[in-house]
Amino acid sequence: MAKANGIDGLIGFIRKENAWSESLLQVLGEHIGPALEEFDLDFEDLDELLGDPWPMTLWGCAFEDLLGRTYGKGQTNVVDVYLGKRGWNETAEDRAYLAGLRSAAPSLYEVSQIVPGKSMELRDLLSDADPVTVREKSATRSLKPWDRIAVRVVPQGDDHVISGALLQFPAAAAEFLLDGLRQTLDLGPETELRLDQNVRRRCAPLFANAWLFAQLPKILDPEMPTLTNSSGDLLEFHDLRFPLSTGVLQRDVRGRLSAQPDLAPEGQKVWNWITTAPAIHSGPKGAMALDSSMDGQTVLGNLELKGKALTLSVNSAERAKRGRAMLMNALGDLVKSPLTSIRTVEQEMAEREEAPADEIPPDIARQIVHEHLDRHYRDTLDQPIPSLGGKTPRQAVRSAAGRKKVVAWLKHIENSNARNTESPTAEYDFRWMWEELGVLDARI
């Protein structure tokens, strides 16, 4: 929090003045007290739980809130008092910054047009204000397009800058904040929030509260999300190994498999088990659906003929049962009853972590991943999406309401990929999808 623009001197002044120190502690209690009480924590616990720099960022949120408050009949304000007593010690630019910070209100902004080390554009999600470009160095090196942040925007000469206390809000935390604001202001769940500066200033503690109530449960009681495939089956990895019967040759099995309409060959001894049935995503509420597709068709499993056995790999017990029945019916006495090995999601992740790192050169890996994403998202444009009301992106974009949902969906997947900085997906260019759907103007 301590930085240029006169902040250092003001912090020192508050620490030496008991009345203002007590006021700061009171404001800090409003910002973090409800979460500390709910989760039975002390402020010192936040260091271990959240790590640097978040405890000081939360302190900074309370500090900046204090700067905009007035006390007593005389409406005394700490910035005014400080500038009146010590303003001679600050430059004109620093005095202007402190006055601007005093007047600024926090808001939730969507980030775009990032120029690393220089600037970014912020769109206020809580008002109808025009997007504003702010000069910023450090934050622009870590933020990604369509990130949401809570911060104060302060005029500085002909430009704008952001304050020192910046909280990044993942999608779930942002919704938590918006719901909290609606409840506090007694607004309906569908009401579009358009709040003036005075209202946002009064609601300042809600920003820190919402952030903490969204973050702490994940840290204190981390849970892996429920994972399903696109059929709604709980994810569980099954490998069914069908031994070939005595005297049976691989070519005998290949002949039978080639006659199966649901098996698409990937080579002489490898097949994809596919279906044209649409994904129904009927799993538990809040579950994350994972699956692979090929040319618009869902891949139910993979088969490989190796040595004296045929192996079917699927990602659920239900598909294992269906696949077993399909292959026993198709192959008959060519194979024996299968031996099945089962791995949970946790076991699969552990095996992958222990596996040796790929030796594929980064540029080749990037090309492979990007080509896969091209195919995947090309298919996705014609697949029903739950968040689009079960419509495909091409269908949804035809109406004004659907267009808004499509834009939000594109921002979500682009932001999610950009934040996966350890993967080649972070560098994938989604522009073509915006152009294809005719919403490129909403990306700028």
Side-chain angles (χ1 to χ4, degrees):
M1 183 64 203
K3 54 183 288 185
N5 300 327
I7 294 296
D8 287 348
L10 180 54
I11 291 175
F13 175 77
I14 291 174
R15 285 175 174 167
K16 292 177 181 178
E17 298 287 333
N18 290 336
W20 290 117
S21 293
E22 291 174 3
S23 295
L24 178 56
L25 287 176
Q26 178 186 358
V27 177
L28 181 62
E30 295 176 25
H31 280 247
I32 66 174
L36 296 183
E37 181 177 352
E38 175 68 22
F39 299 106
D40 193 23
L41 300 172
D42 294 323
F43 181 73
E44 292 74 17
D45 296 327
L46 298 181
D47 277 323
E48 180 178 351
L49 293 172
L50 300 175
D52 188 60
W54 301 116
M56 283 308 300
T57 300
L58 292 166
W59 182 92
C61 292
F63 170 78
E64 292 177 0
D65 186 4
L66 172 69
L67 304 192
R69 297 193 181 197
T70 55
Y71 292 87
K73 293 182 180 179
Q75 297 293 290
T76 306
N77 171 265
V78 66
V79 176
D80 293 343
V81 173
Y82 173 71
L83 291 179
K85 291 184 175 181
R86 305 284 181 83
W88 55 267
N89 200 35
E90 302 289 354
T91 66
E93 184 179 45
D94 289 352
R95 290 196 299 272
Y97 175 80
L98 292 176
L101 187 57
R102 176 200 191 280
S103 302
S107 198
L108 185 67
Y109 293 95
E110 182 181 74
V111 180
S112 64
Q113 302 295 307
I114 300 171
V115 182
K118 293 185 178 180
S119 66
M120 59 185 172
E121 185 174 278
L122 302 181
R123 182 171 71 90
D124 193 338
L125 300 179
L126 300 180
S127 79
D128 290 321
D130 292 334
V132 60
T133 298
V134 298
R135 290 190 292 105
E136 173 61 22
K137 292 183 179 181
S138 59
T140 55
R141 295 190 175 96
S142 59
L143 292 173
K144 305 298 179 184
W146 318 125
D147 274 347
R148 294 180 174 188
I149 61 173
V151 75
R152 297 170 192 254
V153 174
V154 183
Q156 192 168 64
D158 296 330
D159 300 318
H160 290 83
V161 295
I162 58 173
S163 63
L166 182 154
L167 291 174
Q168 187 174 330
F169 274 72
E175 288 304 315
F176 199 93
L177 170 63
L178 299 179
D179 289 344
L181 287 168
R182 290 189 180 96
Q183 292 177 20
T184 299
L185 300 173
D186 196 22
L187 301 173
E190 302 300 323
T191 304
E192 190 172 17
L193 291 170
R194 290 295 177 262
L195 312 178
D196 63 31
Q197 278 207 342
N198 289 331
V199 173
R200 284 184 280 121
R201 192 177 291 112
R202 291 199 304 271
C203 292
L206 278 177
F207 290 82
N209 272 289
W211 189 85
L212 278 169
F213 272 91
Q215 294 289 93
L216 287 175
K218 296 186 296 184
I219 298 170
L220 294 169
D221 187 20
E223 291 183 2
M224 179 177 290
T226 301
L227 301 178
T228 72
N229 58 29
S230 60
S231 302
D233 308 331
L234 291 176
L235 223 58
E236 191 177 64
F237 300 94
H238 290 240
D239 292 327
L240 287 73
R241 186 178 184 275
F242 296 81
L244 304 191
S245 298
T246 303
V248 172
L249 302 176
Q250 286 190 357
R251 65 169 177 263
D252 301 325
V253 176
R254 288 203 307 268
R256 294 275 187 95
L257 295 179
S258 64
Q260 299 302 308
D262 291 340
L263 299 181
E266 278 285 307
Q268 285 193 334
K269 301 181 180 182
V270 178
W271 295 262
N272 288 317
W273 176 24
I274 59 176
T275 179
T276 56
I280 56 176
H281 302 288
S282 60
K285 183 177 181 180
M288 182 183 299
L290 303 175
D291 240 331
S292 56
S293 62
M294 183 180 69
D295 299 327
Q297 300 171 312
T298 300
V299 178
L300 301 177
N302 308 100
L303 292 90
E304 182 177 8
L305 187 58
K306 188 174 183 180
K308 297 293 291 181
L310 173 70
T311 300
L312 168 66
S313 299
V314 294
N315 61 12
S316 74
E318 289 80 0
R319 288 183 181 177
K321 183 178 179 180
R322 287 175 55 194
R324 183 185 191 281
M326 174 192 68
L327 291 176
M328 292 301 291
N329 181 62
L331 299 176
D333 57 4
L334 294 183
V335 295
K336 301 175 183 178
S337 295
L339 301 173
T340 303
S341 64
I342 303 172
R343 301 180 311 285
T344 64
V345 173
E346 291 82 1
Q347 290 170 329
E348 178 73 8
M349 292 175 63
E351 287 184 14
R352 293 185 181 185
E353 289 176 358
E354 294 173 1
D358 293 336
E359 296 183 1
I360 302 176
D363 55 336
I364 301 299
R366 187 181 303 108
Q367 180 181 348
I368 292 172
V369 170
H370 287 193
E371 288 177 356
H372 168 76
L373 290 175
D374 283 340
R375 293 192 299 271
H376 171 72
Y377 285 119
R378 183 70 62 183
D379 290 341
T380 301
L381 295 184
D382 295 303
Q383 298 294 323
I385 306 295
S387 62
L388 302 182
K391 296 181 179 180
T392 71
R394 295 188 196 277
Q395 293 170 336
V397 80
R398 295 171 187 166
S399 69
R403 188 178 190 273
K404 289 183 178 180
K405 292 181 179 180
V406 168
V407 169
W409 172 72
L410 286 170
K411 288 179 178 179
H412 173 70
I413 61 174
E414 184 169 356
N415 179 256
S416 298
N417 278 270
R419 299 220 64 80
N420 190 14
T421 54
E422 300 300 319
S423 168
T425 60
E427 302 172 17
Y428 186 72
D429 187 357
F430 284 85
R431 182 185 177 91
W432 71 268
M433 291 180 69
W434 295 75
E435 291 177 336
E436 185 103 355
L437 295 170
V439 292
L440 183 60
D441 59 312
R443 188 173 186 254
I444 300 173

